[in-house]
Amino acid sequence: MKNICLILCVLMLTVSCAQEKRMLVGETDFQRELNSEFKDATKSPLTPKDLKTFKALEFFPVDEAYKVTASFKLTPDAKSFKMKTSTSRTPIYKCYGIATFKLNGKEFSLEVYQSQDPNKDPKYKDDLFLPFTDETNGFESYGGGRYIDVKIPSGNTLEIDFNKAYNPYCAYSDRYSCPVPPRVNFMKTEVKAGVKAYKKH
């Protein structure tokens, strides 16, 4: 009898876990992984109060038109600078290159940055940082702009998927210090892709 009860408990736990995984909604792996991270109390930027009621982030519909191939020009002579943040913290970055592409019938050039933190984990040595603002900020998307993570390309083009644009942690809690996208990376268009503004439920 004890063995039967034990088996039933294991089955119930397995079903419960499976249901929890199915609750991680999202059209793409990126969306599902982000939702999974936000539901994980050890990783989530949400406050304990918001975490209790969190179900999923809101995203713009996935649109292939927002996945662009940009020409990428390296900027080896660019100087390191202190990037402004939402606090007094000023992390050091360097403009690694400039990405030029067309979107919504317009041409844009955005600076792509590389962290100059000497204590950066070696596994992130190929990571580049693309913060930007656009005309949806403060309306459909977070007022402070959004970020996209990209890798150092092997050639002179760079794939940028705005469907993977995400909010800085400051959009969810004031306990974080977040880089402020430089003015040069403002896009005079509506980028209706990626994570929308966080709305508390």
Side-chain angles (χ1 to χ4, degrees):
M1 185 67 179
K2 288 183 179 179
N3 288 338
I4 293 175
C5 289
L6 181 61
I7 292 171
L8 286 173
C9 287
V10 172
L11 285 173
M12 289 175 66
L13 183 61
T14 301
V15 171
S16 175
C17 290
Q19 289 177 338
E20 182 70 17
K21 288 181 180 180
R22 284 197 293 270
M23 289 174 63
L24 298 178
V25 298
E27 292 184 53
T28 65
D29 286 342
F30 168 75
Q31 292 184 7
R32 287 186 287 272
E33 287 170 9
L34 201 57
N35 280 329
S36 175
E37 177 184 312
F38 272 64
K39 286 181 73 70
D40 186 340
T42 65
K43 301 177 182 178
S44 181
L46 297 174
T47 63
K49 181 181 178 181
D50 290 340
L51 187 58
K52 288 180 181 178
T53 57
F54 177 77
K55 290 188 173 73
L57 294 169
E58 291 188 68
F59 297 87
F60 287 97
V62 175
D63 188 342
E64 288 298 310
Y66 283 101
K67 187 174 183 179
V68 301
T69 299
S71 62
F72 194 59
K73 182 179 180 181
L74 298 179
T75 52
D77 298 325
K79 295 181 180 180
S80 298
F81 69 98
K82 295 179 179 179
M83 187 174 287
K84 292 182 180 180
T85 68
S86 55
T87 64
S88 59
R89 185 177 68 94
T90 51
I92 306 299
Y93 280 89
K94 181 179 180 181
C95 178
Y96 188 87
I98 297 175
T100 301
F101 56 92
K102 285 187 176 181
L103 186 68
N104 295 338
K106 301 178 181 179
E107 184 172 275
F108 298 97
S109 290
L110 300 180
E111 292 187 351
V112 184
Y113 306 100
Q114 183 181 53
S115 171
Q116 300 300 296
D117 182 356
N119 299 314
K120 181 173 63 177
D121 191 320
K123 70 180 180 181
Y124 299 123
K125 63 182 178 65
D126 294 328
D127 287 11
L128 297 177
F129 178 51
L130 176 53
F132 72 95
T133 53
D134 69 275
E135 293 182 335
T136 67
N137 296 154
F139 299 98
E140 294 174 277
S141 69
Y142 176 58
R146 290 176 290 170
Y147 304 158
I148 297 177
D149 296 327
V150 293
K151 296 288 185 180
I152 293 176
S154 57
N156 58 1
T157 60
L158 180 68
E159 298 296 323
I160 303 174
D161 189 353
F162 286 94
N163 294 293
K164 295 182 178 180
Y166 62 94
N167 294 330
Y169 277 5
C170 293
Y172 310 100
S173 172
D174 58 7
R175 70 180 185 269
Y176 295 100
S177 175
C178 307
V180 176
R183 290 184 180 181
V184 68
N185 274 13
F186 168 68
M187 299 175 66
K188 193 172 179 56
T189 190
E190 292 184 331
V191 179
K192 292 178 176 288
V195 179
K196 287 187 174 184
Y198 178 62
K199 298 177 183 178
K200 296 183 179 180
H201 301 285

